[in-house]
Amino acid sequence: MAEYMTNHSQPTADPSEHIFPLPGRQLPPKAGIHPMAAISPGRRYPLNPNVANIAGGIDGLIGGYRLSLDRAEILPIVPNQGAAHGFVWDEGRLPVGVATELAASHGGGGLSRLTLHAATLEGLEVKLIQQLPVLNITPRFAVEWETRGHGAQLGVVQLVESARTAHFADGGTLNLLNTANANAGPVLYLDDPGAPSPVIPVCGFQNADETSRFEFSESVRQPIYAELDGQPVASISVLEQYTLYFLANTAPDRPDDFIWTPVHLPIIWGWSIRVQQRFDGVWDIFRRKLIMPTPSTEAPPLPTWTDNSLRCRTPLDV
């Protein structure tokens, strides 16, 4: 149902492009270099007992981030009498005193950034694929990935809230995909049950102080059947909202010491579409409402889910 395509090139930076930082990263200008410039995002740092035992935790630090295809869980920092550790997931939110202490204990340097360029929705159509009508839609993003001060790998996690429904001629319905049955919030968008990780690499490891440009493209398809469960299908509706989280990892080969951290505001896109037959029997789009790929300030900064989209499907091969 989904395809990822990336094209590598070395673009000329466009200073007019707007950078969408994570909430909280816009700090008042200070004399000299802010301590966070020397902190590696996603790195595991030792914490002194006074810091580790702060009630309610520390803004910008987490105890860990456990990922699987069925679940994501943010782990708290566990205070104890010995050495406690925390991962930096948003260095811009760290209290200045904590940032100064972490920077002094371990060097780092440079904040990588992702710039969203052109975004379009293409290929909204119903076409025949092996004699079967299929609804197709393809969003395309041009993104620029810049690693400053340290190398990193770029990855993406995609969540979805979806209701794909077949409407029968007698007024009945059949859920083809309904994420609300499993969870009140978004679920992991998953095509391949054998996928090794929910984080899909966008590229290989990129060395420090390099810039690359990629085209991110996703092809979403919904087959349209003339009959399901022995009943004629009158129409199919697709109501979906996707949230893309672009994450970076400065040492993906060291999962005990580094985690994936956000490098851009989550990207929201989606649609409400209804497909039904015309008077001549041809399947066509009769209703459409599109959400162009847009940075969101309301989505949680880290993705969490408790199920995936494949587990929300009906037993039918749809």
Side-chain angles (χ1 to χ4, degrees), residues 28-178:
K30 296 179 180 293
I33 300 175
H34 192 274
M36 76 177 187
I39 297 173
S40 295
R43 185 171 186 164
R44 182 174 182 260
Y45 285 91
L47 306 175
N48 69 47
N50 292 332
V51 172
N53 286 279
I54 292 177
I58 305 163
D59 207 12
L61 279 175
I62 59 176
Y65 192 49
R66 186 178 297 144
L67 301 177
S68 72
L69 298 182
D70 290 324
R71 177 172 193 82
E73 182 181 6
I74 299 172
L75 306 177
I77 296 172
V78 180
N80 54 42
Q81 298 299 322
H85 292 82
F87 289 91
V88 175
W89 66 265
D90 189 346
E91 61 282 355
R93 290 180 178 268
L94 291 173
V96 173
V98 174
T100 301
E101 182 175 328
L102 297 184
S105 63
H106 288 79
L111 300 180
S112 299
R113 72 175 184 180
L114 188 79
T115 306
L116 173 66
H117 289 265
T120 61
L121 290 175
E122 302 175 0
L124 178 55
E125 60 180 346
V126 176
K127 63 180 180 180
L128 288 176
I129 299 178
Q130 297 181 347
Q131 304 305 309
L132 178 68
V134 177
L135 172 66
N136 290 268
I137 187 166
T138 305
R140 296 186 183 277
F141 303 54
V143 297
E144 185 175 288
W145 170 232
E146 182 180 358
T147 47
R148 296 176 170 181
H150 57 77
Q153 185 175 27
L154 183 65
V156 65
V157 171
Q158 185 167 207
L159 306 184
V160 63
E161 295 175 88
S162 177
R164 301 189 183 187
T165 307
H167 303 264
F168 299 121
D170 64 0
T173 61
L174 174 67
N175 288 331
L176 308 177
L177 174 65
N178 190 352

Side-chain angles (χ1 to χ4, degrees), residues 174-196:
L174 174 67
N175 288 331
L176 308 177
L177 174 65
N178 190 352
T179 63
N181 287 342
N183 189 288
V187 302
L188 178 68
Y189 178 50
L190 185 65
D191 252 354
D192 180 7

Side-chain angles (χ1 to χ4, degrees), residues 22 25 40-44 62 65 67 87-91 110-115 144-148 150-157 199-207 214 244-255 257-265 301-303:
L22 286 169
R25 282 192 176 168
S40 295
R43 185 171 186 164
R44 182 174 182 260
I62 59 176
Y65 192 49
L67 301 177
F87 289 91
V88 175
W89 66 265
D90 189 346
E91 61 282 355
L111 300 180
S112 299
R113 72 175 184 180
L114 188 79
T115 306
E144 185 175 288
W145 170 232
E146 182 180 358
T147 47
R148 296 176 170 181
H150 57 77
Q153 185 175 27
L154 183 65
V156 65
V157 171
V199 182
I200 300 174
V202 176
C203 61
F205 190 85
Q206 183 168 296
N207 292 324
F214 307 95
L244 277 72
Y245 289 84
F246 284 98
L247 311 174
N249 195 321
T250 56
D253 58 333
R254 296 167 56 189
D257 297 319
F258 290 86
I259 60 174
W260 293 92
T261 56
V263 292
H264 195 282
L265 286 174
L302 283 175

